[in-house]
Amino acid sequence: NAGVTQTPKFQVLKTGQSMTLQCAQDMNHEYMSWYRQDPGMGLRLIHYSVGAGITDQGEVPNGYNVSRSTTEDFPLRLLSAAPSQTSVYFCASSHGGLGELFFGEGSRLTVL
Amino acid sequence: SQQGEEDPQALSIQEGENATMNCSYKTSINNLQWYRQNSGRGLVHLILIRSNEREKHSGRLRVTLDTSKKSSSLLITASRAADTASYFCATDNNAGNMLTFGGGTRLMVKP
């Protein structure tokens, strides 16, 4: 099993551009989530999904959209990138209820 | 705002010593988890302790939970240079659908 796979690993955007961070898991996990990690801030939850077709907002959802059309995939869309969205983004998944989270290796995004 | 807060923010010890990290949280929880993050990598789950448990062990790790004080501690015994990493506590909300992380403790173990 590959676990949780995130692409791309690195991305540079200009202010106002849009892009999608991809996340896929092959563990048949119902729960998936997106976090951002900023220096000294720990991880903050952006959006999460408890199953295909169901998404909900986390702590810092503004500027981001998600969808969950399949169990495996949970893409994160930046609609109009801003420098404040420069961060490292992590996708994570969990089986059943909110137990152990399995994390991807992260996507480092820089917005100029 | 963050639910969990780790203390200390940074810790430097010699190999073979024990390392203790503390976590405080604000609201009631179903469970508390500890994660480890090596530099530039994703987080790795270490241990989960439920609200009705007081202590849990896994290898060289010992976690305690005091729900009356809303606090937890992670003890790493006989530390090794390979334990150098950041350690995070995470707590769930009452609905059990959101996991909130603290700011982490950066542990450096010197050989």
Side-chain angles (χ1 to χ4, degrees):
Chain A
N1 288 350
V4 178
T5 303
Q6 291 183 233
T7 56
K9 287 185 168 43
F10 300 94
Q11 182 72 48
V12 178
L13 290 178
K14 293 182 180 178
T15 296
Q17 287 185 318
S18 62
M19 76 156 301
T20 300
L21 299 177
Q22 302 290 346
C23 175
Q25 52 91 10
D26 60 359
M27 298 172 283
N28 202 33
H29 284 172
E30 295 88 350
Y31 184 91
M32 296 187 74
S33 56
W34 276 102
Y35 288 88
R36 60 178 288 173
Q37 184 176 32
D38 302 298
M41 294 290 291
L43 282 80
R44 291 182 290 170
L45 180 64
I46 305 171
H47 285 285
Y48 66 95
S49 168
V50 298
I54 306 168
T55 64
D56 212 339
Q57 296 181 349
E59 304 168 85
V60 288
N62 291 342
Y64 307 95
N65 273 357
V66 292
S67 59
R68 186 93 181 271
S69 56
T70 67
T71 299
E72 295 78 19
D73 300 300
F74 191 44
L76 178 72
R77 297 182 185 84
L78 281 70
L79 307 174
S80 177
S84 61
Q85 293 179 304
T86 293
S87 188
V88 181
Y89 291 85
F90 288 97
C91 179
S93 70
S94 175
H95 175 66
L98 190 51
E100 173 186 354
L101 281 179
F102 291 80
F103 280 81
E105 288 297 305
S107 297
R108 184 175 295 274
L109 175 67
T110 300
V111 183
L112 303 175
Chain B
S1 61
Q2 291 174 289
Q3 159 79 310
E5 294 292 339
E6 287 90 342
D7 172 63
Q9 289 187 320
L11 180 61
S12 181
I13 60 174
Q14 295 294 132
E15 210 165 25
E17 294 180 338
N18 295 341
T20 299
M21 289 158 267
N22 302 296
C23 170
S24 60
Y25 57 92
K26 298 172 185 174
T27 60
S28 61
I29 59 173
N30 299 303
N31 65 66
L32 184 144
Q33 304 182 39
W34 285 92
Y35 288 80
R36 165 193 170 128
Q37 183 181 33
N38 287 73
S39 181
R41 307 296 301 273
L43 280 73
V44 175
H45 182 265
L46 295 176
I47 199 164
L48 180 154
I49 186 166
R50 302 193 187 284
S51 59
N52 60 355
E53 298 175 311
R54 291 298 167 257
E55 188 170 312
K56 205 163 183 179
H57 297 255
S58 177
R60 293 184 295 113
L61 304 181
R62 172 177 170 253
V63 169
T64 62
L65 178 64
D66 187 335
T67 53
S68 67
K69 295 181 179 179
K70 292 187 171 58
S71 67
S72 173
S73 67
L74 170 67
L75 169 67
I76 304 174
T77 60
S79 62
R80 306 165 181 167
D83 294 328
T84 294
S86 290
Y87 293 82
F88 296 88
C89 70
T91 53
D92 65 346
N93 59 348
N94 278 338
N97 54 16
M98 291 176 56
L99 198 64
T100 305
F101 286 80
T105 292
R106 295 187 309 279
L107 173 66
M108 176 174 289
V109 181
K110 299 176 183 176

